[in-house]
Amino acid sequence: MSLPEISIKRPVFATVTLLALILLGIVSYLRMNVDEMPDVSYPYVTVSITYEGALPEQIDTQVTKKVEEAVGEAKGVKHIQSTSREGEAEIGVQFNLDIDPSVAAQDVRDKISAIRSELPDNIKEPVIARYDMKAAPVVAVALTSETANLRELSILVEDVIKPRLQKIGGVGQLKISGLQKREIQLLLDRDKMAAFGFSIPEITQRLQQENMDIPAGKLTEASQELSVRTAGNFKNPQDFLSIIIGTKNGAPVYYRQIGSVKDTIKDVETLARYDNQQAIGIEVGKQSGANAVNVAKQVKAELKNIQQGLPSGVTLYMVRDDAQRIEDSMHEVWFDLIIGGLFAVIVVLWFLGDWRSTLISAIAIPASIIATFFFMKLANFSINTMSLLGLSLSVGLLIDDAIVVIENIIRHRQMGKPAMEAAADGTKEIALAVMATTFTVVAVFIPVGFMSGVVGQYFKEFGLTIAFAVLVSLFIAFTLTPMMAALYLPVGQHYDAAGRMGQWWSKWNRWFDKMADAYAVILRKLLGQHRKKVLGASITLFVFSMMLFPYLGSSFIPTTDQAQFTVKVTTQAGQTVEALDNTTQKMIQELRSIPAIKYVYSTSSAKEQTLFVTLVPKKERQRSQNEVIIEVRNKLNRIPGVRIDIEQGDGKPVAVSITGDSVEKLGEITEQLRQKIESIAGVQDIVSSYRPGAPNLDIKIKTERANDLAVSTATIGNTLQTLLNGTVIGKYNDSDERVDIRTRLTVTDRNRPESLNAIYVPSEKTRSDGQKMLLPLSQVTEWQYTTSPAEISRYDRQKEIRLTANLEKTTLGDFNDQFYPSLKAIQMPVGYQVSAVGQSEDMEESFSSMAVALSLAVAFIFMILAAQFESYTEPFAIMLSLPLAIIGALFGLFLAGSDLSVISLIGIMMLMGLVTKNAILLIDFAKQRMQQAVPCNDALVDAARTRLRPILMTSIAMIFGMLPIALSIGPGAETRAPMAHAIIGGLLTSTLLTLVVVPVVYSLIHDWKARKSNFLNRSR
C-alpha cells in the first residue's frame, strides 16, 4: 500500500504524523540561534607580539620574519599576512578551510613556542588567538558627560559599567576606546641625576627594592601559626620621595633630590568622540555560538538600567546596534516570505476557483516551513539571513507539489469518481512526476550546500534549507493533501458561480479554456509543420541572450544600504593622537551639516583614525547610502591634509597586492599601478598601505669608542628606553586598585632631540672611589634624522604594499578586465609580482566553485530524468528548458540593473531545478498517453492542453512568491534582490518557451528513435 493510500484510509495517522513534525519544528525554532550570517568557522589564527620602543624595521627583522618562518611550516597554511609597526607585530595565518580551527591555533602555538628563545628577551609574551568573526561587536555605546572629565568617566566605566556588562550571559570581549588609566610617574631630572652621578640602572633598582611585599615564611607559637611578610609597598605616592637612592660624599641622596612624583594618567593612546563631544566608547562582542539578538537585547536592557543610575550629566548613547539591524533584516525576510506566500495562495485560488482546494494546497506552505526548522536544528543551523532567504525563495516551491496533486485529484473527481478513489488515482497518476520534479530541485541544492570556499560555507545553510523544505512539502503532498482532498473536496465543478466573485471566476475560466484550446491548435500546427523553425528560433534567442554578458558586469556580493559606513583617514606618519583629534573635530563639523547623517562616532589613535557614520533609516531619507557617501567624500577631501578612505560592509571591493623584497622598489611599482588605477573610470578612494616618511632619530653606536670605554649596546638601549618611553618598575596598591609605576624623564627633558646630549650612560669601568664611570651619550653614539615606513606589511613572507579602492557606477569584473591586462605594459622586476586579493580572489574562487556545483547539478538532473523515463535520450528534451531559463535570467538581470554576482548566480542555479518541473509534468503525461497507443504528436498536444493549468499555476505562484524579494524595498534587500531578478526572468521565459520548444524537441527525438529502430529492424 502506497503512502497516499495509507493517508487516505488512515487520516488520523497522517494528521498526527504531520503534527509531530510541526511540533518538533516549533520547539526547534525556539531553541535556534539568531544571527545575521551562518556560523562560518574560519581557520584563521592571529599572533600579536608587543616589543615596546622598537622601530618597524627592528620588529620586522627580529620578530616578524622569524614567526612567519616558524608558522609557515604548519599544516594547511594558505596565506600569511603580517604588519610590523612601532612597538608591535601582528601576524595573521589563514589555513585551508578543511583544517579544524582549534587544531590550527594549537599548531601555531606549538611552532612559536619552539622558537621563543630566538626572539628578543624583552618582548611581551605572544598572544595567539583564533579569529572568530562571530565574536564581532553586536552593540557599541558612547559615554559622554557635561560635568565629569574623562578620568572620572573612565573610573565609572571600569568600576561600574564594564563589570555589569561582563556578567551577562553570552557577552564576550569588551573593547574600550578613549579610556584614561591612572599611572604613578616617577619623573627624573636629567641634570640632577648627572650632578649626583647616578646611573639609570642604579635608580630603577633602588626604586624597585623599596616598593615590594616579600613573603618571609611562617612562625609557629604553641598551637598558632603566623604568616610573616615584609610589607614594603608604599601607601602614598609621595612616600617615594623619601627613598634613599645612594650616597654622595658620605651623605644620603634622597629620590626627591633627583626627581618628582606625579599621580597622573598614562600617555593617551586613543581618543573617542560622539558628535564632536569627547567620549569613552565601549564595543560589546558576543561569545562564539551565542545568540546575537538575545545577547544584544540583554545588553541594551542592562544599559538602560545603568543609565538610570548614572550621575547627573552623564549620558549613554547607542552608537552601533548590529543586532537591531539583524532583526530589521530578519523581519524584512519574514515579511517577504509571508507576503510571497499570500501572493502564491491568491494565484492558486484564482486558478482553482475553490477555497477548499486552495486551503488544502496552502496548508503545505506553513506546515513545510515549520517542519523544516526541525531538520535545520538537527543540522545545527541558525536562523540567519541565508537560511530564511532559502525559505523565502522556496515559498512558491512548497505549494507546487500540493497544487499539482490537488489539480489532478480535481480532474479525476470531475470524471465522476468517488472522493477516495479520485484522491488515490489522482495522486498515483502524478506521483512519479511530482517525485521527479522535487528530486531535481534537491539535486540542484545538494551541490550548492557543499560548495567549496568561503562562499560555500555561507551557502551551505541556504541550499540545504531549501532541500529540507521541498522534501517536507513532497511528504505533505503525498499524505495530508490526498487525505484532505478525499474528505473535503466537492464533487463536480470546483466553484459555485453564485456571487460576483463566482461570476468573475467563471468568466476567467471560460477565457482560460479558450486560450488553452487555441494553444493546443497552435502547438499541433508547430509539431506538424514547423519543428525545425521553432528549434532554430530558440537557439537564435539563446545566442542573442549571451550577448548581454558584456553589459551586465560582475561583482562578488552586491553592496547593501545598511545606513552606516566607516570613514578611515590616511594620516601623515608621526602625528600625535591630539593632532589627529583636532583633524577629527573638523571632519565631524563638516559631516554634521549633511541632513541624512544621524550621528558620527570617531576614534583616533596612532594606528588609525576612523569615523563611524550612522545615517537615518533607509525609509526615512530620500537619498541612497551611495549618494550620501559621494557628498561625504567631496566635503572631507577638501579639508587640508585629509585624504579619506570609505568602507561599507565587508571592506573595499578592489584590493591589489604588490609583493617583493625591497620596500623602495615596491613603492616605485605601486606608484605606476596607482596611475593606471586612477585612469579607470569609476574608481574612488585609492589608498596605499605604504605610509612613508615616519620621522626617526637613529642613534648609531660608535663601536670602537664604546668598547674602549666599556659601554655596552644593551646599556645604552635600556637607558634610553627608560628615560624616554619609561619603564614600569612595579605596582602601587590603592585600595583594590593596582596602578603602574613608571620611571622616565620629565616632559621638558624629553621633548626635544638636544636633550639627548645631557644623558649619561654607565660604564663598566670604575672611578677611584669605586663608583662606575658615567659618560655622556654623545661620546659613544652619534645620531641622525631619517625617515622610515610607519609600518611594514608582508604577504606570504614577502614585503607587500596593497592598493585598495572603491567603485562607483562600475563593477569589480569591469575593473579587473581593464586593469590586469594593462599590467603587461609594465616591466616587472624579477621576484616582484602583482596579484588580486580580497573580493577579487574570493570572486574568482567562488565562480569556479559554482561552475563545478552547476555541472554536478545538471548531471544529477539528467540522472534523475533518465531513471524516471528509462531513457538516455528523452531527458534531453526536458533539459532543453535549462538554457531557455538562462535567456530570461540574463534579461531579468539586465532590465533590473543587477550584476552577475555570487547571489545572482545562485539564483540561476536555483532555476535549474525549478524550470525542469514544467517539462517533467508535460512529458510524463504525454508518455502515459503514448502507452495508451496515442500517436506521439497527439499525446504531446493532449498533455500540453491538460497540463497547461498546473504549469501556469505553479510558475505564476513562484513568480509572485518571489516578487516581494525582487522589489528590494526593506533593509538588506539589495543583496537578496538579484537572486529574485534572475529567477523571475528565467521562470517567465522558460515557462513560455517550455510549452512550445520542449514538445517540439521531444517529437524530434521520438521520430529519430523510431527511424533508428526501423533501420535496425530492416538490418536484421
Side-chain angles (χ1 to χ4, degrees):
M1 188 180 294
S2 65
L3 186 60
E5 290 173 334
I6 293 174
S7 301
I8 293 168
K9 292 181 179 180
R10 302 189 63 184
V12 175
F13 171 77
T15 304
V16 296
T17 302
L18 186 61
L19 285 175
L21 280 175
I22 292 174
L23 183 61
L24 289 171
I26 293 172
V27 173
S28 299
Y29 175 79
L30 296 175
R31 294 184 177 181
M32 292 174 71
N33 284 341
V34 180
D35 280 309
E36 184 175 16
M37 286 294 175
D39 187 4
V40 178
S41 297
Y42 280 99
Y44 193 92
V45 181
T46 60
V47 181
S48 300
I49 300 177
T50 301
Y51 186 9
E52 290 187 354
L55 295 176
E57 291 94 336
Q58 294 172 308
I59 296 283
D60 184 56
T61 55
Q62 298 177 27
V63 178
T64 305
K65 283 185 178 180
K66 294 179 180 179
V67 172
E68 286 183 343
E69 185 176 351
V71 300
E73 298 173 0
K75 179 183 177 182
V77 171
K78 183 178 181 182
H79 293 300
I80 301 176
Q81 190 171 358
S82 66
T83 302
S84 303
R85 57 173 67 92
E86 184 176 352
E88 65 176 343
E90 293 181 358
I91 302 100
V93 188
Q94 181 183 354
F95 289 80
N96 295 323
L97 286 172
D98 58 344
I99 302 295
D100 183 81
S102 57
V103 173
Q106 186 58 48
D107 207 356
V108 170
R109 194 172 287 110
D110 293 342
K111 297 296 183 185
I112 293 179
S113 296
I115 63 159
R116 180 64 183 85
S117 60
E118 300 177 23
L119 301 176
D121 294 333
N122 48 350
I123 66 169
K124 292 185 179 179
E125 207 52 41
V127 178
I128 302 166
R130 284 171 48 191
Y131 172 74
D132 184 6
M133 69 170 297
K134 305 304 291 181
V138 292
V139 170
V141 294
L143 186 72
T144 65
S145 176
E146 299 176 355
T147 56
N149 59 38
L150 285 180
R151 176 58 192 152
E152 292 169 330
L153 290 180
S154 298
I155 295 172
L156 185 63
V157 168
E158 289 193 302
D159 294 349
V160 178
I161 299 176
K162 183 179 177 181
R164 290 179 65 173
L165 293 178
Q166 286 178 324
K167 71 179 183 180
I168 298 173
V171 168
Q173 184 180 11
L174 296 184
K175 180 182 177 183
I176 304 176
S177 302
L179 201 66
Q180 291 189 348
K181 292 188 176 182
R182 183 183 176 190
E183 185 174 75
I184 306 298
Q185 293 189 0
L186 305 181
L187 301 174
L188 301 171
D189 187 295
R190 179 195 59 207
D191 296 331
K192 291 179 180 178
M193 283 193 304
F196 282 105
F198 291 116
S199 67
I200 288 298
E202 289 176 312
I203 296 172
T204 55
Q205 185 179 10
R206 286 294 299 153
L207 292 173
Q208 287 174 330
Q209 289 173 346
E210 294 299 323
N211 183 56
M212 296 178 68
D213 272 351
I214 302 175
K218 295 183 183 296
L219 282 176
T220 304
E221 182 181 2
S223 61
Q224 187 177 12
E225 189 176 70
L226 299 175
S227 295
V228 181
R229 69 182 178 89
T230 304
N233 276 342
F234 292 120
K235 305 304 179 186
N236 190 307
Q238 298 304 316
D239 293 342
F240 282 98
L241 297 174
S242 302
I243 295 176
I244 297 176
I245 301 300
T247 58
K248 183 70 173 178
N249 299 326
V253 178
Y254 295 92
Y255 172 75
R256 62 175 172 269
Q257 294 176 269
I258 62 171
S260 60
V261 178
K262 188 175 182 182
D263 191 345
T264 182
I265 61 172
K266 288 185 177 182
D267 290 348
V268 176
E269 295 180 352
T270 61
L271 287 174
R273 289 188 173 275
Y274 178 84
D275 271 355
N276 232 353
Q277 187 176 5
Q278 280 199 326
I280 294 180
I282 307 171
E283 293 182 359
V284 184
K286 74 175 186 69
Q287 295 173 354
S288 182
N291 189 317
V293 174
N294 287 347
V295 170
K297 285 181 178 178
Q298 293 180 69
V299 169
K300 287 186 285 187
E302 185 64 27
L303 288 172
K304 188 176 181 181
N305 295 332
I306 291 172
Q307 175 71 69
Q308 294 173 355
L310 290 177
S312 177
V314 179
T315 310
L316 272 172
Y317 293 99
M318 187 65 63
V319 172
R320 183 170 188 163
D321 188 357
D322 282 355
Q324 184 61 50
R325 180 170 55 81
I326 293 171
E327 276 197 304
D328 291 343
S329 181
M330 293 294 179
H331 290 159
E332 188 65 25
V333 178
W334 274 113
F335 176 81
D336 292 345
L337 192 153
I338 294 169
I339 297 300
L342 290 175
F343 282 171
V345 171
I346 291 171
V347 169
V348 173
L349 175 62
W350 191 245
F351 270 92
L352 294 181
D354 175 51
W355 66 268
R356 283 162 294 194
S357 54
T358 301
L359 182 61
I360 293 171
S361 304
I363 288 175
I365 295 178
S368 299
I369 290 173
I370 296 172
T372 299
F373 290 124
F374 170 61
F375 297 99
M376 291 171 63
K377 179 66 176 176
L378 291 179
N380 201 27
F381 292 175
S382 62
I383 305 295
N384 57 67
T385 303
M386 298 310 300
S387 58
L388 284 184
L389 179 59
L391 289 176
S392 184
L393 287 172
S394 63
V395 162
L397 283 171
L398 300 182
I399 201 174
D400 265 12
D401 293 340
I403 289 174
V404 174
V405 170
I406 202 73
E407 195 276 339
N408 210 45
I409 292 173
I410 290 173
R411 192 168 61 83
H412 279 263
R413 288 282 278 155
Q414 291 175 340
M415 295 177 185
K417 293 182 180 180
M420 296 185 68
E421 183 182 348
D425 291 349
T427 307
K428 182 179 180 181
E429 182 183 63
I430 205 73
L432 192 60
V434 170
M435 289 174 61
T437 57
T438 300
F439 290 150
T440 55
V441 174
V442 174
V444 168
F445 287 106
I446 292 297
V448 171
F450 291 98
M451 284 171 55
S452 61
V454 175
V455 174
Q457 297 286 310
Y458 278 108
F459 281 97
K460 176 181 179 181
E461 296 193 16
F462 170 82
L464 294 183
T465 296
I466 294 179
F468 293 152
V470 296
L471 287 173
V472 173
S473 71
L474 176 65
F475 176 76
I476 292 173
F478 283 171
T479 54
L480 189 67
T481 302
M483 181 269 290
M484 294 186 69
L487 294 177
Y488 303 111
L489 269 188
V491 181
Q493 295 298 320
H494 19 196
Y495 197 84
D496 184 3
R500 180 169 296 180
M501 289 295 295
Q503 293 175 5
W504 285 351
W505 185 85
S506 296
K507 291 180 181 178
W508 146 257
N509 198 44
R510 287 193 294 271
W511 178 86
F512 185 87
D513 288 339
K514 290 180 181 178
M515 182 193 70
D517 292 337
Y519 160 65
V521 171
I522 294 172
L523 181 60
R524 186 179 297 278
K525 188 173 182 179
L526 293 175
L527 288 172
Q529 304 174 19
H530 306 290
R531 291 187 301 181
K532 293 182 180 179
K533 292 180 181 178
V534 170
L535 186 60
S538 62
I539 294 173
T540 302
L541 189 58
F542 177 76
V543 172
F544 178 72
S545 68
M546 293 295 104
M547 298 170 64
L548 290 175
F549 270 110
Y551 299 97
L552 290 178
S554 58
S555 58
F556 183 47
I557 293 178
T559 303
T560 303
D561 187 334
Q562 298 182 343
Q564 60 187 34
F565 57 89
T566 301
V567 178
K568 293 188 176 182
V569 184
T570 305
T571 58
Q572 182 180 349
Q575 285 187 293
T576 64
V577 176
E578 291 80 3
L580 294 174
D581 186 54
N582 291 334
T583 306
T584 298
Q585 294 181 55
K586 296 177 184 177
M587 291 190 290
I588 292 177
Q589 190 173 355
E590 289 288 341
L591 293 176
R592 292 181 67 183
S593 65
I594 301 175
I597 293 179
K598 191 175 181 180
Y599 53 79
V600 181
Y601 169 72
S602 67
T603 57
S604 301
S605 69
K607 292 182 184 178
E608 60 182 3
Q609 186 178 12
T610 62
L611 292 87
F612 183 75
V613 181
T614 301
L615 308 181
V616 298
K618 180 180 176 181
K619 295 179 180 178
E620 298 177 18
R621 53 184 153 87
Q622 297 180 345
R623 294 192 297 170
S624 68
Q625 180 169 301
N626 285 332
E627 291 171 334
V628 175
I629 286 175
I630 293 172
E631 184 177 359
V632 168
R633 185 182 291 120
N634 293 334
K635 280 182 174 289
L636 296 188
N637 281 334
R638 287 200 299 262
I639 300 175
V642 171
R643 181 72 175 175
I644 68 165
D645 179 17
I646 296 177
E647 289 187 3
Q648 303 180 65
D650 295 328
K652 299 163 74 174
V654 174
V656 180
S657 173
I658 308 101
T659 56
D661 296 326
S662 167
V663 174
E664 291 74 16
K665 191 64 179 178
L666 287 174
E668 296 175 7
I669 299 171
T670 301
E671 189 55 37
Q672 297 180 58
L673 298 184
R674 178 194 285 273
Q675 294 175 7
K676 285 190 173 295
I677 293 175
E678 287 176 342
S679 66
I680 298 175
V683 178
Q684 301 285 349
D685 306 329
I686 306 171
V687 174
S688 169
S689 63
Y690 178 63
R691 296 172 62 195
N696 297 325
L697 188 62
D698 285 355
I699 296 177
K700 184 178 180 181
I701 310 296
K702 298 177 181 177
T703 306
E704 293 183 2
R705 178 75 60 87
N707 290 337
D708 291 342
L709 296 174
V711 179
S712 68
T713 301
T715 300
I716 297 172
N718 291 334
T719 299
L720 288 174
Q721 185 180 46
T722 300
L723 294 178
L724 300 181
N725 187 61
T727 298
V728 176
I729 63 167
K731 297 285 185 180
Y732 168 70
N733 294 324
D734 186 1
S735 224
D736 59 348
E737 184 181 16
R738 287 178 58 80
V739 183
D740 284 346
I741 304 170
R742 184 180 296 271
T743 303
R744 69 195 309 187
L745 282 178
T746 61
V747 175
T748 54
D749 287 341
R750 55 183 166 87
N751 62 359
R752 61 188 186 278
E754 292 78 11
S755 63
L756 296 177
N757 292 320
I759 289 179
Y760 288 79
V761 292
S763 167
E764 295 299 320
K765 295 182 178 181
T766 58
R767 299 177 306 197
S768 58
D769 58 0
Q771 298 290 325
K772 288 187 177 182
M773 294 177 58
L774 290 179
L775 303 171
L777 185 65
S778 57
Q779 285 194 18
V780 291
T781 64
E782 57 184 3
W783 53 81
Q784 60 182 355
Y785 291 101
T786 62
T787 59
S788 67
E791 59 183 37
I792 298 174
S793 299
R794 297 171 65 85
Y795 187 70
D796 288 344
R797 301 170 65 178
Q798 282 191 306
K799 290 180 180 176
E800 179 203 46
I801 296 178
R802 184 167 295 192
L803 288 171
T804 60
N806 284 318
L807 299 175
E808 185 180 301
K809 297 180 180 179
T810 188
T811 65
L812 181 58
D814 292 338
F815 170 83
N816 291 341
D817 291 342
Q818 295 182 64
F819 174 69
Y820 289 102
S822 69
L823 297 182
K824 296 177 182 178
I826 298 178
Q827 195 70 27
M828 200 69 64
V830 177
Y832 292 79
Q833 64 178 16
V834 179
S835 58
V837 292
Q839 289 191 19
S840 293
E841 184 181 22
D842 291 340
M843 184 172 73
E844 182 179 351
E845 181 182 356
S846 301
F847 283 14
S848 174
S849 177
M850 292 181 71
V852 174
L854 182 60
S855 301
L856 282 174
V858 172
F860 288 158
I861 290 172
F862 174 81
M863 294 174 191
I864 291 170
L865 295 177
Q868 179 190 0
F869 296 117
E870 195 58 34
S871 171
Y872 287 111
T873 55
E874 292 180 359
F876 286 106
I878 295 175
M879 295 186 69
L880 190 65
S881 58
L882 303 184
L884 300 181
I886 293 176
I887 296 172
L890 296 180
F891 273 104
L893 293 172
F894 177 75
L895 294 175
S898 297
D899 300 332
L900 268 178
S901 63
V902 172
I903 302 296
S904 56
L905 286 177
I906 288 290
I908 292 175
M909 286 189 66
M910 189 174 182
L911 272 175
M912 301 298 100
L914 300 181
V915 299
T916 54
K917 294 171 70 76
N918 297 333
I920 291 172
L921 289 175
L922 196 152
I923 299 301
D924 179 74
F925 190 88
K927 285 184 70 67
Q928 292 180 26
R929 297 289 290 148
M930 290 167 63
Q931 290 172 0
Q932 300 170 5
V934 177
C936 176
N937 286 357
D938 292 340
L940 288 169
V941 172
D942 191 13
R945 173 66 179 84
T946 304
R947 293 294 184 219
L948 181 62
R949 185 183 293 270
I951 286 174
L952 292 181
M953 185 165 38
T954 55
S955 296
I956 295 174
M958 282 191 286
I959 290 170
F960 275 86
M962 295 177 190
L963 199 57
I965 303 174
L967 295 176
S968 62
I969 298 173
E974 295 89 350
T975 301
R976 303 186 292 269
M979 193 180 294
H981 296 157
I983 293 172
I984 290 175
L987 283 173
L988 284 171
T989 58
S990 67
T991 300
L992 296 176
L993 293 175
T994 295
L995 292 171
V996 176
V997 179
V998 170
V1000 166
V1001 174
Y1002 186 85
S1003 175
L1004 289 170
I1005 291 175
H1006 182 271
D1007 287 356
W1008 174 78
K1009 289 176 67 176
R1011 288 196 299 270
K1012 181 181 177 182
S1013 178
N1014 292 334
F1015 175 76
L1016 292 175
N1017 289 334
R1018 287 196 301 270
S1019 299
R1020 292 173 186 166

